[in-house]
């Protein structure tokens, strides 16, 4: 079932499967902001990454001596969420642990995702609560794909990303979907990264030390601009599929396994721990100009 929110500026659509944002339309221009999800390139649009971000070494982890399998980016994007409440400008999705999740993730949890429209801005808020009797270990990430307009004489290379607080980016290359300990440096000109398809020839740009909490995706040839902000996500990824007309801006609380990780969940880089009844909050927002 599809859920929709709308005000005078924006119209947003969501799928109960994965509580995924699948459309965000600028009503003043009629432009679609979110990637179409063409499976020939990438079938996702804005999946929720939980309770892991990225790949695990051997697609598994160890907790208290037991080995558990976990798919890349976790299982939330493949689960149907309940609609906890909704109004014209806001909807709250909810996912709770169940018998199925406990087989490969031995924790009780409650995950709420709230989408709110305010004028020309969509805000996405997350709340993870530990409903277990013991400590809860998890990661959470966002993966929104933004459409790149290549019609009417426009090109992918006409776009760029401006960073609020970075002069350069320290990138961790991916090796078989795992994080390399080595880093590569991308120097920015005026805090700006030009978009090219070649930029993602080796997969995503993964950053663990990025300072910026505001990024602006903009077109050099017109006034199209997407202002992306986020809080309580220390890591970040930027990615696009080969020759596809989109770019993903991905705030993360947690990353894929480091290449030599021992697979112990409690020792995973970036993993979060919640005590019983404790919760964690994070958010991101996109403003259309």
């Amino acid at each position: 079932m599809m859920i929709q929110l709308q005000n005078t500026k924006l119209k947003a659509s969501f799928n109960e499967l994965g509580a995924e944002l699948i459309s965000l339309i600028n009503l003043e221009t009629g432009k679609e902001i979110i990637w179409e999800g063409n499976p020939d390139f990438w079938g996702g649009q804005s999946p929720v990454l939980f309770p892991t971000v990225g790949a695990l070494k051997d697609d598994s982890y160890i907790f208290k001596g037991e080995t558990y399998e976990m798919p890349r980016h976790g299982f939330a994007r493949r689960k149907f969420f309940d609609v906890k409440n909704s109004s014209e400008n806001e909807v709250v999705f909810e996912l709770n642990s169940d018998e199925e999740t406990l087989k490969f993730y031995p924790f009780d949890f409650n995950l709420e995702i709230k989408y709110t429209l305010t004028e020309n801005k969509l805000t996405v808020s997350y709340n993870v609560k530990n409903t277990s009797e013991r400590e809860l270990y998890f990661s959470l990430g966002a993966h929104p794909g933004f459409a790149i307009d290549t019609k009417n004489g426009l090109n992918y290379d006409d776009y760029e990303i401006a960073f609020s607080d970075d002069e350069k980016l320290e990138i961790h290359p991916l090796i078989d979907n795992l994080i390399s300990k080595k880093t590569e440096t991308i120097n920015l000109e005026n805090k700006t990264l030009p978009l090219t398809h070649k930029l993602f020839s080796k997969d995503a740009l993964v950053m663990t030390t990025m300072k910026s909490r505001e990024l602006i995706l903009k077109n050099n040839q017109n006034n199209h601009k997407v202002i992306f902000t986020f809080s309580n996500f220390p890591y970040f990824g930027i990615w696009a599929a080969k020759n596809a007309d989109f770019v993903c801006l991905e705030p993360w609380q947690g990353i894929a396994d480091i290449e030599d990780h021992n697979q112990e969940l409690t020792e995973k880089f970036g993993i979060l721990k919640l005590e019983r009844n404790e919760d964690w909050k994070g958010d991101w927002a996109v403003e259309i100009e």
Side-chain angles (χ1 to χ4, degrees):
M1 180 178 175
M2 187 169 64
I3 306 297
Q4 291 188 333
L5 303 179
Q6 185 170 335
N7 60 17
T8 60
K9 303 285 187 180
L10 299 173
K11 180 180 179 180
S13 301
F14 312 90
N15 195 333
E16 289 183 32
L17 178 62
E20 186 172 7
L21 169 66
I22 58 174
S23 175
L24 183 63
I25 297 175
N26 182 343
L27 294 177
E28 294 183 343
T29 65
K31 284 187 175 295
E32 174 62 72
I33 307 302
I34 298 300
W35 161 245
E36 65 187 41
N38 184 343
D40 290 341
F41 297 96
W42 178 53
Q45 293 177 278
S46 183
V48 177
L49 317 182
F50 176 88
T52 54
V53 172
L56 299 178
K57 191 174 183 179
D58 297 329
D59 296 320
S60 62
Y61 65 92
I62 300 169
F63 181 70
K64 292 190 179 299
E66 296 288 333
T67 299
Y68 298 86
E69 294 185 355
M70 179 70 71
R72 189 181 185 190
H73 293 323
F75 55 74
R77 60 191 178 135
R78 300 287 184 252
K79 297 285 287 183
F80 282 94
F81 282 62
D82 294 322
V83 178
K84 186 174 181 180
N85 54 63
S86 64
S87 62
E88 184 177 4
N89 295 318
E90 186 172 281
V91 61
V92 179
F93 292 96
E94 180 180 56
L95 180 68
N96 290 287
S97 51
D98 56 27
E99 290 184 3
E100 181 184 3
T101 65
L102 289 170
K103 292 177 182 178
F104 44 90
Y105 184 62
F107 304 96
D108 287 314
F109 67 88
N110 170 263
L111 167 61
E112 287 188 1
I113 304 174
K114 180 170 67 174
Y115 294 95
T116 307
L117 286 183
T118 308
E119 296 294 328
N120 61 332
K121 184 177 183 179
L122 173 68
T123 301
V124 187
S125 305
Y126 304 90
N127 188 92
V128 178
K129 184 174 182 179
N130 180 9
T131 57
S132 293
E133 294 298 318
R134 60 185 178 190
E135 297 169 336
L136 169 73
Y137 292 88
F138 78 98
S139 295
L140 187 146
H143 199 318
F146 296 98
I148 298 295
D149 187 359
T150 56
K151 299 176 182 178
N152 301 316
L154 297 176
N155 298 299
Y156 196 89
D157 295 5
D158 292 329
Y159 283 79
E160 60 188 21
I161 300 172
F163 294 78
S164 60
D165 296 291
D166 288 277
E167 302 285 348
K168 62 181 180 179
L169 303 176
E170 295 293 334
I171 308 298
H172 290 267
L174 288 168
I175 302 175
D176 295 327
N177 294 323
L178 302 181
I179 304 294
S180 172
K181 285 186 173 181
K182 298 179 180 179
T183 61
E184 300 174 357
T185 301
I186 297 178
N187 292 311
L188 304 178
E189 184 175 346
N190 298 321
K191 300 182 181 178
T192 299
L193 176 70
L195 279 189
T196 65
H197 288 302
K198 185 179 179 181
L199 190 62
F200 308 106
S201 61
K202 298 180 181 180
D203 212 324
L205 309 182
V206 176
M207 292 157 281
T208 59
T209 59
M210 192 180 83
K211 301 174 184 177
S212 299
R213 293 299 177 263
E214 178 183 282
L215 284 70
I216 300 176
L217 174 63
K218 54 186 178 180
N219 189 304
N220 293 323
Q221 305 300 315
N222 58 33
N223 294 322
H224 176 70
K225 184 184 297 184
V226 172
I227 302 172
F228 188 89
T229 56
F230 60 98
S231 63
N232 210 18
F233 289 98
Y235 316 121
F236 205 85
I238 304 176
W239 174 76
K242 183 179 179 180
N243 296 326
D245 292 332
F246 72 85
V247 63
C248 290
L249 304 180
E250 307 179 40
W252 298 334
Q253 183 57 269
I255 61 172
D257 275 350
I258 305 296
E259 55 185 324
D260 62 353
H261 180 46
N262 62 13
Q263 296 183 268
E264 289 284 349
L265 183 65
T266 60
E267 299 174 23
K268 178 177 171 61
F269 179 82
I271 199 75
L272 284 178
K273 180 177 73 172
L274 295 178
E275 302 294 340
R276 180 185 176 189
N277 292 325
E278 188 179 9
D279 62 3
W280 169 90
K281 300 179 188 297
D283 62 77
W284 61 271
V286 56
E287 187 173 351
I288 311 303
E289 291 188 358

